[in-house]
Amino acid sequence: MTVVTLDLPIDVYQRLRDEAGRTGKSVEAVAQELLIERLEAPAPVSERERATEILRAAGLLTEPGPEMKARAARSTATLEEVRAAFARSPGKPLSEIVIEQRGPKE
C-alpha cells in the first residue's frame, strides 16, 4: 500500500470527518473508499451523461419509480393530443408566468 498526503480545504475535510463519524470509520478509510469508488466508476461518455451523474450524485436527480414507469407505459396519448390538451387549458403558459415574475431585465 502506498501512503499519500492530501491538502484539503477545511470545509472538505470537515465533511470528510463528518462522514467518518456517521459511518464509524476513520477519515482515512472514508477517503480511500471515496477515491476508489470514484476512480473505478466508468467515466461518462457524453456531456449529458456527465451532467446527469453530477446531478444524481448531488441528490438533485432521481429515476422514476416502478409506479411511475407503469403509468408511463400505460399512456397512449400522442404528442398531438398532449399539445391539444395544453392549447385548451385556460390561462397563460407557465413559461409566460415565469417570465412575468422575473420582472424586467436590468
Side-chain angles (χ1 to χ4, degrees):
M1 180 180 288
T2 302
V3 176
V4 176
T5 302
L6 298 174
D7 289 323
L8 299 172
I10 191 70
D11 61 315
V12 173
Y13 179 74
Q14 182 62 46
R15 291 180 7 218
L16 186 62
R17 204 170 74 198
D18 291 347
E19 179 67 16
R22 275 192 297 277
T23 60
K25 299 177 183 175
S26 69
V27 171
E28 293 81 4
V30 172
Q32 182 180 25
E33 288 173 4
L34 290 170
L35 284 169
I36 289 170
E37 179 182 312
R38 173 65 172 91
L39 294 174
E40 287 182 349
V45 178
S46 69
E47 190 170 320
R48 179 186 177 120
E49 289 173 339
R50 179 166 159 64
T52 300
E53 288 305 314
I54 290 169
L55 291 171
R56 186 174 288 120
L60 300 173
L61 178 69
T62 60
E63 299 298 326
E67 181 182 330
M68 184 61 77
K69 286 181 180 179
R71 182 185 261 172
R74 291 190 306 265
S75 175
T76 59
T78 65
L79 179 59
E80 291 78 25
E81 291 170 332
V82 172
R83 284 184 175 153
F86 279 125
R88 289 191 306 269
S89 299
K92 297 178 186 178
L94 180 58
S95 57
E96 288 182 22
I97 295 169
V98 170
I99 290 169
E100 286 176 3
Q101 289 181 348
R102 285 185 185 156
K105 292 185 179 182
E106 295 178 16

